[in-house]
Amino acid sequence: MSTNTVGGPTVEQKRKVVTSIPGPKSLEMQKRRIEVVSAGVSSTLPVYVKRAGGGIVEDIDGNSFIDLASGIAVTSVGNSHPDVVKNVQEAVAQFTHTCFMIAPYESYVRVCELLAELTPGKHPKRSALFNSGAEALENAVKIARYFTKKDAIVVVEHGYHGRTNLTMAMTAKNMPYKKGFGPFAPEIYRVPTSYPFHDELSGKEAALHAISRMEKEIGADQLAAIVIEPIQGEGGFIVPAPGFLTELANWAKANNVLFIADEVQTGFARTGAMFASEHENVVPDLITMAKGMGGGLPVAAVTGRADVMDAIHPGGLGGTYGGNPIALAGALGAIQAIQNEKLIEKAKHIESIMIPRLKNMSSQNQLIGDVRGRGAMIAIEIVKPGTKDPDPDKTLKIVKACHAEGVLVLTAGTYGNVLRFLPPLVISDELLNEGLDVLEKAIISAS
Ligand SMILES: Cc1ncc(COP(=O)(O)O)c(C=O)c1O
């Protein structure tokens, strides 16, 4: 039986369901949890993890799940990838923290060198490192406002940018992200996006709608930046129609508005390119990233034009933990693994397996309204047969059936009717296909 690569935990690469889900030990843990963990923090699949690696997550009851989630697009190189483990072990034995703002260290500089090389565009770039995606977004907005001396920020329908006060304002969906948590930060404006399955517009037509709103309702002279995910993540893996991003980026350039690509979910090989902006040949002024960057460790970044990033006064950017050396050791390991193991190619390979299989399922089952995505960021939209109306109940039924059979899948979408798949890029074809077999049965039984 195959196991994952050497180093880290050796996890048998086999789906195994030996108890009801959740199993008895997880249910015991759940009892302890509800006494001490806020009810506001929920878990999609309340099985407690013992170890994970390759394409498998193993729980404390001995169940092994095929991982089609990667901890929401984080463990793209697989859990406890040997390069990540080795780097982190070495780093933690050297020093745990000095604070880069107090006494700096090489790994911060090295990561920024790599970000300058790996992000789109050949222009001079600078980076600043943070702890989470939302923190990167907060800082990108600070930087854009400072540089342009303008206040307004544009985001799009279905956008997701985090859960801090500013990023909640930037996030579209009310439940569960915003309800009751306001008032929200001001000067955030939402314009139409490109959602080909629903709007049936070309990229250019959709962009003209957004541009008209920006010009008429905000004014380019008030607008600091457009912040957009090149493929929308939590909003439902919405791939914009070709040309949409380019039109927006060109308009931004012509109007002294910064174009900020939020690549927190799409970055680091996930979509079959190092960054999803590359699919449209868009070179953003600033890029925010996190998730897949750290190979499971919390690290985030803003990378962008040197003139924009260097405009900030010394001390204007930072934070106690931003660019923590242990997290950066993880990032260096993850980037090395992406390059050495050709994980961009692997993401394309995953797409080449998933899209035809899902399209085939869609041709046989009217519950699947749309199949979309790039690389290993793929989704299906579940609808009421013969319509484009969302069916969140059926979506949940399918998810639950997959979980009960040992396949970890997630939902997304403003209407909760998108099933999204984010397998680790190191998953075997065998496990991926087995996961899709389970999904297919779950869809048939939900119909
Ligand atoms: C596109 C995007 N931006 C920002 C965030 C927020 O990142 P974090 O949860 O690390 O704060 C996410 C998280 O899902 C995301 O997908």
Side-chain angles (χ1 to χ4, degrees), residues 342-421:
K342 302 197 176 2
L343 294 184
I344 294 176
E345 291 310 310
K346 187 68 200 307
K348 289 184 197 157
H349 174 70
I350 288 172
E351 175 181 338
S352 77
I353 293 178
M354 293 195 75
I355 293 281
R357 281 210 58 184
L358 292 169
K359 285 209 161 141
N360 185 41
M361 289 180 211
S362 154
S363 69
Q364 295 174 27
N365 197 314
Q366 288 206 317
L367 274 186
I368 304 177
D370 194 26
V371 176
R372 58 179 180 252
R374 285 191 200 273
M377 185 172 180
I378 306 283
I380 54 178
E381 187 160 335
I382 303 298
V383 294
K384 301 195 167 131
T387 75
K388 290 187 178 180
D389 299 341
D391 197 335
D393 296 338
K394 286 269 163 70
T395 312
L396 207 58
K397 215 168 151 186
I398 297 165
V399 167
K400 288 215 163 359
C402 288
H403 291 175
E405 289 299 321
V407 178
L408 179 44
V409 293
L410 304 175
T411 58
T414 304
Y415 308 103
N417 69 319
V418 176
L419 268 167
R420 58 168 156 170
F421 312 107

Side-chain angles (χ1 to χ4, degrees), residues 244-266:
F244 177 70
L245 294 173
T246 322
E247 287 287 331
L248 289 188
N250 289 344
W251 180 87
K253 194 173 193 152
N255 287 280
N256 184 30
V257 172
L258 296 185
F259 184 87
I260 303 178
D262 180 355
E263 295 247 19
V264 165
Q265 190 153 162
T266 49

Side-chain angles (χ1 to χ4, degrees), residues 18-31 59-61 63:
V18 294
T19 68
S20 53
I21 305 293
K25 289 185 180 157
S26 283
L27 288 173
E28 275 304 309
M29 280 300 302
Q30 195 66 9
K31 276 193 202 146
D59 77 6
I60 54 176
D61 286 289
N63 299 299

Side-chain angles (χ1 to χ4, degrees), residues 154-446:
V154 151
V155 290
V156 300
E157 289 166 348
H158 309 290
Y160 182 90
H161 302 286
R163 296 167 178 263
T164 58
N165 186 262
L166 172 63
T167 57
M168 273 192 293
M170 296 166 72
T171 288
K173 193 173 174 178
N174 181 39
M175 267 302 274
Y177 308 125
K178 300 171 75 165
K179 187 174 181 227
F181 297 138
F184 303 114
E187 288 304 313
I188 307 295
Y189 299 87
R190 195 169 305 285
V191 302
T193 190
S194 164
Y195 195 157
F197 176 57
H198 286 288
D199 64 29
E200 297 178 8
L201 297 175
S202 71
K204 186 162 186 164
E205 288 164 339
L208 289 179
H209 283 177
I211 289 168
S212 159
R213 288 276 283 278
M214 290 190 279
E215 288 178 341
K216 300 284 178 283
E217 295 182 14
I218 308 160
D221 58 343
Q222 305 299 310
L223 185 53
I226 301 171
V227 183
I228 187 163
E229 302 155 83
I231 296 175
Q232 292 189 267
E234 306 301 300
F237 285 21
I238 305 164
V239 185
F244 177 70
L245 294 173
T246 322
E247 287 287 331
L248 289 188
N250 289 344
W251 180 87
K253 194 173 193 152
N255 287 280
N256 184 30
V257 172
L258 296 185
F259 184 87
I260 303 178
D262 180 355
E263 295 247 19
V264 165
Q265 190 153 162
T266 49
F268 293 93
R270 172 57 53 188
T271 70
M274 194 52 121
F275 292 94
S277 303
E278 293 168 38
H279 297 296
E280 291 276 324
N281 292 318
V282 167
V283 178
D285 297 303
L286 301 179
I287 299 185
T288 54
M289 53 206 121
K291 289 191 185 275
M293 177 177 174
L297 282 96
V299 62
V302 180
T303 296
R305 275 168 46 192
D307 59 328
V308 178
M309 298 292 292
D310 279 347
I312 312 296
H313 52 270
L317 303 175
T320 305
Y321 290 116
N324 168 271
I326 313 306
L328 292 185
L332 290 170
I335 294 169
Q336 184 175 312
I338 289 169
Q339 292 176 326
N340 287 353
E341 295 173 25
K342 302 197 176 2
L343 294 184
I344 294 176
E345 291 310 310
K346 187 68 200 307
K348 289 184 197 157
H349 174 70
I350 288 172
E351 175 181 338
S352 77
I353 293 178
M354 293 195 75
I355 293 281
R357 281 210 58 184
L358 292 169
K359 285 209 161 141
N360 185 41
M361 289 180 211
S362 154
S363 69
Q364 295 174 27
N365 197 314
Q366 288 206 317
L367 274 186
I368 304 177
D370 194 26
V371 176
R372 58 179 180 252
R374 285 191 200 273
M377 185 172 180
I378 306 283
I380 54 178
E381 187 160 335
I382 303 298
V383 294
K384 301 195 167 131
T387 75
K388 290 187 178 180
D389 299 341
D391 197 335
D393 296 338
K394 286 269 163 70
T395 312
L396 207 58
K397 215 168 151 186
I398 297 165
V399 167
K400 288 215 163 359
C402 288
H403 291 175
E405 289 299 321
V407 178
L408 179 44
V409 293
L410 304 175
T411 58
T414 304
Y415 308 103
N417 69 319
V418 176
L419 268 167
R420 58 168 156 170
F421 312 107
L422 292 159
L425 306 180
V426 294
I427 195 170
S428 69
D429 291 2
E430 197 184 348
L431 275 186
L432 184 60
N433 275 309
E434 190 179 334
L436 291 170
D437 292 342
V438 169
L439 173 75
E440 187 164 14
K441 282 197 194 116
I443 294 173
I444 292 168
S445 59

